[in-house]
Amino acid sequence: MLETDTPGDRVARLERRLKRERRAREEAEWLLEAKSLELYNANNHLTVLANDLEMRVLDRTHELEVSRQQALFLAERDPLTTLANRVSFTRDLEAAIREARVQSGMVQLLFVDLDRFKEINDNYGHAVGDAVLLEVAARLRAICREREVPGRLGGDEFGVICVTPAHSERARQIAADVMEVMSRPIDCGRLQLIVSCSVGFASFPRNAVDSPTLQRFADFALYHSKSAGRSTWTEFDDTMAGELQSRQGLEAELRTAVAAGEIEPWYQPIISTKSNEIVGVEALARWQHAERGLILPGLFIPLAEESSLIVELGRAMIDRCCREMHPFIRDGHLDYVSINLSPRHLRSSSVVEHIAATLAHHHFPPSALQLEITESLLLIDFEQAQECLSRFRALGIRIALDDFGTGYSSLSYIRRLPLDVIKIDRSFARDISADQQAEAVVKAIVQLAQALELRVIAEGVETESQAFRLTSCGCFVQQGYLFGRPMPLNEITRYLEARANPTPFAQNISAS
């Protein structure tokens, strides 16, 4: 403070100081208010962001839950029909059996299989096939009650789980209802299709004590329905239990026999009625069982077909036939040996290479091997069969269509297949002597074969009359008991030696 300051100066300085402090305070207050507003707005923005993030998290959580539920649904449901799939169906069956054990109830399991469904896909396309499956599923749903579970087990196979009180006959009612509803036409747009089915069923604890056994028994009952001509239902019973046990025992023995090479080829002659010479033989599997005696293929071949044994058996048969028949082919006593090929062989990726290697190993000419396929092959996978057979033909192997005239017989397919021979089914030879229609069909088949540049063989020739009539129809290559039954190697050897001197009857056929 200066000594010259007057009281007025001091007052003025104080006022200026107070003014500066007031201005500073006002600026501080304004800045604080501005920052507070900025923080308020920022907080509101953060609140909005937090709410938005929370909503997004909730939405995403919901989407994930929906996806999880959909994944669980798809994991347990057939995607086409939305019925329970095989995994879910099996789990439901096991749960039903556990419940039935506790409550002394019954579980009845039905298997439903559509008859010849493959023909629908082949003739009308997969869209029509899917429409049929959807309608079948809808009809099964309509039949089933609240505690009955329908399922699609794969392809054209369906199932129904029925939980009932003890001694219920509900499965019979369901089977009858299934047969009834499937007798009605299925509307597929411009098509009205009748799709029959076969049904088999078994019960817990009446027939089986657990889920795998129950499924096996129901499947065996279904097999009986199909064997009985399809379009029917079968209930598993004690007789079938004994039959199934016998089949299982025989299958185990068959597996051992195949591994030990006990299934041997027997050879049936194939004769040219023009030259009266044996032109070939067909190799047919025979099983000389140590205890049961001679077991014919009608009993053990289906067992082999149902398992993978048929592939192993077929390979062993081809190997043995090439080894045993090679001397006769080499010396000019036979033109070829004919061997049956199952559909399972053609589904094997290595079948062509394996047969080619077998031929090379035995120095067996490919042109002397004839592979026989059946018309049922056309109902499995035509494109795959066509590709496989074409590869055989490229090697020089002959291809014959067996049992022609009784099965699918699509002329379009036959024209596209790389065939060399048509074998007329034995039923026509059986009826040709007394049935003019059978004779007309044989003539038509011969004309068809000539148009397609295919050779013809008639099977099942048992009488001289049949042989003469077939020859007059233009079928000059024949096979049957008239010329010789299937015989083991030692007998076919003697037969070939005896055929060097023609019989009077054979001379008459060739002269005619």
Side-chain angles (χ1 to χ4, degrees), residues 210-490:
D210 54 34
S211 174
T213 306
L214 184 60
Q215 293 180 65
R216 189 168 67 253
F217 286 177
D219 190 61
F220 192 67
L222 176 62
Y223 169 81
H224 263 257
S225 292
K226 288 187 169 294
S227 300
R230 307 174 188 268
S231 192
T232 187
W233 60 266
T234 302
E235 180 177 8
F236 189 87
D237 57 24
D238 293 340
T239 302
M240 289 185 199
E243 182 182 344
L244 181 58
Q245 185 176 5
S246 176
R247 281 171 59 90
Q248 290 172 339
L250 186 61
E251 182 178 347
E253 293 181 33
L254 176 61
R255 191 174 299 277
T256 302
V258 170
E262 296 176 2
I263 312 297
E264 62 181 24
W266 284 27
Y267 302 97
Q268 185 171 33
I270 301 172
I271 304 296
S272 168
T273 59
K274 273 187 172 181
S275 63
N276 185 38
E277 293 180 353
I278 177 171
V279 293
V281 292
E282 179 180 357
L284 301 165
R286 294 294 186 267
W287 181 8
Q288 191 67 46
H289 193 280
E291 298 177 358
R292 304 172 188 251
L294 182 64
I295 301 178
L296 298 179
L299 182 59
F300 68 84
I301 290 296
L303 287 177
E305 287 279 6
E306 292 169 13
S307 65
S308 60
L309 280 176
I310 191 65
V311 175
E312 185 179 349
L313 174 59
R315 289 178 175 178
M317 284 285 292
I318 292 172
D319 181 81
R320 187 163 176 176
C321 288
C322 289
R323 185 179 75 248
E324 293 180 349
M325 292 295 105
H326 177 256
F328 300 104
I329 298 293
R330 180 194 60 208
D331 297 340
H333 298 301
L334 290 176
D335 293 340
Y336 63 89
V337 58
S338 192
I339 303 174
N340 292 280
L341 199 66
S342 79
R344 279 184 177 265
H345 282 98
L346 293 185
R347 290 198 293 267
S348 172
S349 59
S350 61
V351 62
V352 178
E353 290 77 8
H354 183 272
I355 291 179
T358 301
L359 295 175
H361 176 72
H362 294 289
H363 305 288
F364 197 95
S367 60
L369 175 63
Q370 178 171 287
L371 297 177
E372 295 189 16
I373 61 171
T374 61
E375 291 182 294
S376 62
L377 174 68
L378 305 181
L379 302 178
I380 299 174
D381 190 336
F382 176 80
E383 300 300 332
Q384 182 181 6
Q386 183 184 36
E387 189 273 336
C388 186
L389 295 178
S390 296
R391 293 174 62 195
F392 281 129
R393 277 290 299 277
L395 293 174
I397 296 171
R398 310 182 190 199
I399 306 297
L401 182 60
D402 197 12
D403 300 333
F404 182 78
T406 60
Y408 193 57
S409 299
S410 169
L411 298 184
S412 172
Y413 281 177
I414 292 170
R415 181 176 58 84
R416 292 163 55 194
L417 282 173
L419 298 176
D420 298 281
V421 177
I422 287 177
K423 299 190 74 173
I424 302 176
D425 185 74
R426 64 183 60 250
S427 62
F428 295 102
R430 181 190 63 223
D431 300 335
I432 196 169
S433 297
D435 188 344
Q436 291 183 347
Q437 290 184 343
E439 183 174 351
V441 170
V442 171
K443 289 181 178 179
I445 293 174
V446 171
Q447 292 173 358
L448 170 66
Q450 291 172 346
L452 296 176
E453 298 181 347
L454 302 175
R455 293 185 293 276
V456 179
I457 299 175
E459 296 183 286
V461 182
E462 298 183 358
T463 68
E464 295 182 13
S465 174
Q466 293 169 352
F468 280 120
R469 297 293 288 272
L470 287 165
T471 300
S472 67
C473 290
C475 185
F476 302 111
V477 182
Q478 301 176 15
Q479 173 184 354
Y481 287 177
L482 177 64
F483 307 106
R485 293 174 177 268
M487 56 193 87
L489 178 61
N490 60 339

